[in-house]
């Protein structure tokens, strides 16, 4: 009978303490999982570590978690949005480390509650007629509620100016835009880089407002965003970046997301939510018509949660064969 190898004789629990770290192989974009190359008794091994999921089994547990949050450091705030780094405990040296990224929305609206709640998701197809008759009026109503104040605060120089990475006036009065870190990024992990570009013009609410005449502007936007990002973060190259826009977007002022292509694609980057900027430009180039031909002239398929007002007020009734009742 063949003898057991040396490492097979070691108790499994003892192997971890004997693991000598050599280098980091990979860190996932949420920062919750790392893979390390090292050795045990001179033989190479890989140790994969993953942070445990948050305990959520009761209100008492959630309250205890909130009570344990210390060393809160505000990274920025704008209107009702605030973001922080904080500590949820102590490290192996008995010191508190900034292991939490916190976002606070306060005071929040019913729409925020619906957005962040678990809900069944539906795929819908928005025809040009549905967009014209129902979605466009819905967008107009939401813009009039003042939900873009935080965007205008940035564009008009009242908040977050220290975070602006790039501000470009473009070639004309309507070409301007700026770029800054997305509030969900920790601002240091390149693998999860997430930036946001806000355009200064206010006549483009979503990708539906993009027309053939905007193609040169969109090309300019794309190139400047790529150049500005790699200049600010020289460890990255342009072909390591992905640019996309959301539809439906969270807010109706045209903006572009710039992320590391290695960023794990969650729901916000999934098909039916994220539309690649390059693909949008190509689609505009192939749409029939003159310079006024636009993305409002095509059907778009995307997903919605059942708690979303677009589902409850528009697509749900349409599915049931009834006419949506738009709020006055």
């Amino acid at each position: 009978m063949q003898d057991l190898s040396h490492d097979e004789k070691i108790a499994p629990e003892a192997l971890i303490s004997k693991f000598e770290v050599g280098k980091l192989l990979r860190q996932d974009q949420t920062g919750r999982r790392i893979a390390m190359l090292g050795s045990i008794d001179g033989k190479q091994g890989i140790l994969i570590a993953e942070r445990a999921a948050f305990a959520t089994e009761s209100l008492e547990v959630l309250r205890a978690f909130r009570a344990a949050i210390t060393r809160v450091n505000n990274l920025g705030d704008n209107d009702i949005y605030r973001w922080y780094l904080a500590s949820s405990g102590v490290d192996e040296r008995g010191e508190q480390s900034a292991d939490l990224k916190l976002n606070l929305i306060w005071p929040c609206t019913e729409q925020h509650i619906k957005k962040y709640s678990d809900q069944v998701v539906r795929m819908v197809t928005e025809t040009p007629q549905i967009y014209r008759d129902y979605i466009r009026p819905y967008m107009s109503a939401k813009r009039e509620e003042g939900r873009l104040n935080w965007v205008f605060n940035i564009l008009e120089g009242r908040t977050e100016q220290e975070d602006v990475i790039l501000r470009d006036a473009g070639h004309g009065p309507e070409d301007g835009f700026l770029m800054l870190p997305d509030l969900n990024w920790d601002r240091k992990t390149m693998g999860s880089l997430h930036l946001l570009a806000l355009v200064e013009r206010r006549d483009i609410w979503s990708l539906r407002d993009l027309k053939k005449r905007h193609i040169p502007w969109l090309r300019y936007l794309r190139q400047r965003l790529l150049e500005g990002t790699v200049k600010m973060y020289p460890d990255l190259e342009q072909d390591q970046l992905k640019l996309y826009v959301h539809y439906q977007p969270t807010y109706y002022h045209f903006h572009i997301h710039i992320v590391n292509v290695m960023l794990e694609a969650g729901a916000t980057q999934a098909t039916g939510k994220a539309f690649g900027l390059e693909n949008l430009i190509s689609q505009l180039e192939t749409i029939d018509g003159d310079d006024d031909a636009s993305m409002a002239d095509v059907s778009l398929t995307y997903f919605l949660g059942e708690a979303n007002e677009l589902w409850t007020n528009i697509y749900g009734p349409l599915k049931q064969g009834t006419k949506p009742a738009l709020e006055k």
Side-chain angles (χ1 to χ4, degrees):
M1 180 175 167
Q2 187 176 2
D3 291 339
L4 292 175
S5 64
H6 177 62
D7 50 357
E8 288 179 309
K9 296 176 182 177
I10 302 175
E13 294 79 6
L15 290 173
I16 299 301
S17 62
K18 291 174 66 66
F19 187 87
E20 297 181 10
V21 177
K23 68 176 182 178
L24 176 70
L25 292 177
R26 183 177 182 181
Q27 178 179 17
D28 81 341
Q29 284 66 48
T30 63
R32 291 186 57 187
R33 187 186 306 111
I34 58 174
M36 297 169 285
L37 178 65
S39 62
I40 299 174
D41 293 342
K43 296 181 179 179
Q44 282 192 320
I46 295 174
L47 178 62
I48 302 168
E50 184 172 352
R51 293 183 185 272
F54 287 105
T56 58
E57 59 267 25
S58 68
L59 272 179
E60 288 70 23
V61 168
L62 293 175
R63 287 167 179 154
F65 165 73
R66 209 294 305 153
I69 296 175
T70 57
R71 297 177 65 87
V72 177
N73 177 34
N74 179 234
L75 296 176
D77 63 273
N78 185 347
D79 198 48
I80 63 173
Y81 303 95
R82 303 160 188 85
W83 43 103
Y84 313 82
L85 284 179
S87 172
S88 63
V90 296
D91 58 22
E92 69 280 356
R93 296 171 295 179
E95 299 176 355
Q96 292 178 321
S97 58
D99 61 343
L100 282 178
K101 171 68 166 53
L102 304 174
N103 293 340
L104 175 64
I105 304 172
W106 178 78
C108 71
T109 66
E110 187 64 29
Q111 297 310 114
H112 290 112
I113 296 172
K114 291 177 180 178
K115 176 183 176 181
Y116 289 100
S117 298
D118 279 332
Q119 53 187 297
V120 174
V121 173
R122 303 279 188 165
M123 293 297 294
V124 301
T125 295
E126 182 180 296
T127 65
Q129 181 178 355
I130 291 175
Y131 170 71
R132 181 182 66 250
D133 294 347
Y134 305 116
I135 306 301
R136 184 70 178 186
Y138 174 86
M139 290 181 175
S140 180
K142 293 307 172 187
R143 282 176 59 91
E144 292 172 2
E145 290 179 0
R147 296 184 183 182
L148 294 175
N149 289 344
W150 70 274
V151 174
F152 300 148
N153 285 343
I154 298 173
L155 293 175
E156 295 169 6
R158 291 190 290 270
T159 60
E160 297 185 61
Q161 298 310 291
E162 67 280 2
D163 294 329
V164 173
I165 296 168
L166 172 68
R167 186 184 288 272
D168 193 312
H171 300 301
E174 293 189 329
D175 290 350
F177 63 93
L178 58 80
M179 180 171 66
L180 72 169
D182 184 88
L183 63 85
N184 291 308
W185 184 41
D186 66 7
R187 308 187 184 205
K188 60 181 180 180
T189 308
M190 286 298 105
S192 60
L193 176 132
H194 190 165
L195 308 177
L196 192 66
L198 301 171
V199 303
E200 292 187 359
R201 60 189 303 162
R202 304 187 184 187
D203 60 326
I204 300 181
W205 300 357
S206 74
L207 64 82
R208 282 294 201 180
D209 290 310
L210 296 176
K211 300 181 179 182
K212 290 179 75 77
R213 76 165 102 102
H214 294 134
I215 291 174
W217 175 65
L218 291 171
R219 286 177 179 159
Y220 178 80
L221 264 176
R222 176 185 179 275
Q223 190 57 40
R224 291 293 291 126
L225 293 176
L226 292 173
E227 292 172 351
T229 301
V230 299
K231 181 178 180 180
M232 184 68 185
Y233 306 105
D235 289 341
L236 296 173
E237 298 180 25
Q238 291 190 18
D239 57 5
Q240 292 178 286
L241 301 172
K242 176 167 60 176
L243 281 64
Y244 63 86
V245 300
H246 283 146
Y247 196 79
Q248 286 277 329
T250 303
Y251 51 94
Y252 296 115
H253 180 93
F254 189 65
H255 56 284
I256 300 169
H257 296 264
I258 305 97
V259 303
N260 191 317
V261 294
M262 294 293 290
L263 181 62
E264 293 182 355
T268 62
Q269 293 188 57
T271 300
K273 179 65 175 179
F275 291 72
L277 181 61
E278 292 84 359
N279 291 337
L280 282 174
I281 294 173
S282 178
Q283 190 168 2
L284 285 169
E285 290 173 332
T286 56
I287 289 178
D288 290 334
D290 57 18
D291 282 352
D292 285 326
S294 76
M295 291 298 296
D297 303 327
V298 303
S299 292
L300 295 176
T301 298
Y302 54 92
F303 60 77
L304 292 171
E306 286 187 347
N308 191 301
E309 285 184 349
L310 290 174
W311 175 261
T312 58
N313 296 356
I314 299 174
Y315 288 102
L318 286 174
K319 182 180 180 180
Q320 299 301 320
T322 61
K323 185 176 182 180
L326 296 179
E327 295 182 3
K328 299 298 183 181

